[in-house]
Amino acid sequence: HLTYVHLPVPKVGGFAGGPSKTALANYYREEGEQALAKARKLLDKAGIPHADAILVGQIAETICKHAENEKCELICMGTRGLGGVANLIMGSVATKVLHNATMPVLLVK
């Protein structure tokens, strides 16, 4: 499973309307397609079958829930390698996945 999770676009109070559901869905899809393009190309070139998922939600929690729903045996994800101090200030999706996942997690720098 090749998965991309997009944070939800925040709702702005006091403004009527806002983007339509279709416009938001298109935005999420386009962003996800762009983010997955390089990995998809590598997997396709190697002949490795994969299912793609573009999801919206809190990133770490959504990754873990998707992995459970798909009965994945392992979560493999890249890290930015910001280091301990940056993680203390900003938090880390990888760290959150490590703490929330019910299956092994492989982190690749």
Side-chain angles (χ1 to χ4, degrees):
H1 296 271
L2 187 58
T3 305
Y4 175 78
V5 180
H6 197 296
L7 285 170
V9 172
K11 294 180 180 166
V12 180
F15 290 99
S20 69
K21 288 183 181 182
T22 302
L24 277 176
N26 287 337
Y27 169 72
Y28 293 137
R29 183 184 45 75
E30 289 170 10
E31 291 284 315
E33 293 287 336
Q34 183 178 356
L36 294 177
K38 187 175 179 180
R40 182 184 292 135
K41 187 175 182 179
L42 287 170
L43 291 172
D44 289 344
K45 185 176 180 180
I48 299 172
H50 54 89
D52 300 345
I54 298 170
L55 308 171
V56 178
Q58 296 303 308
I59 298 171
E61 293 83 354
T62 303
I63 289 170
C64 293
K65 184 177 179 182
H66 181 68
E68 287 179 20
N69 290 344
E70 295 297 327
K71 298 180 179 26
C72 295
E73 296 177 8
L74 172 73
I75 296 173
C76 179
M77 59 188 296
T79 66
R80 286 185 174 166
L82 295 176
V85 175
N87 281 346
L88 285 174
I89 296 168
M90 298 185 336
S92 164
V93 170
T95 300
K96 291 176 186 173
V97 169
L98 279 171
H99 288 289
N100 292 318
T102 58
M103 70 279 305
V105 178
L106 173 64
L107 301 177
V108 180
K109 187 172 181 179

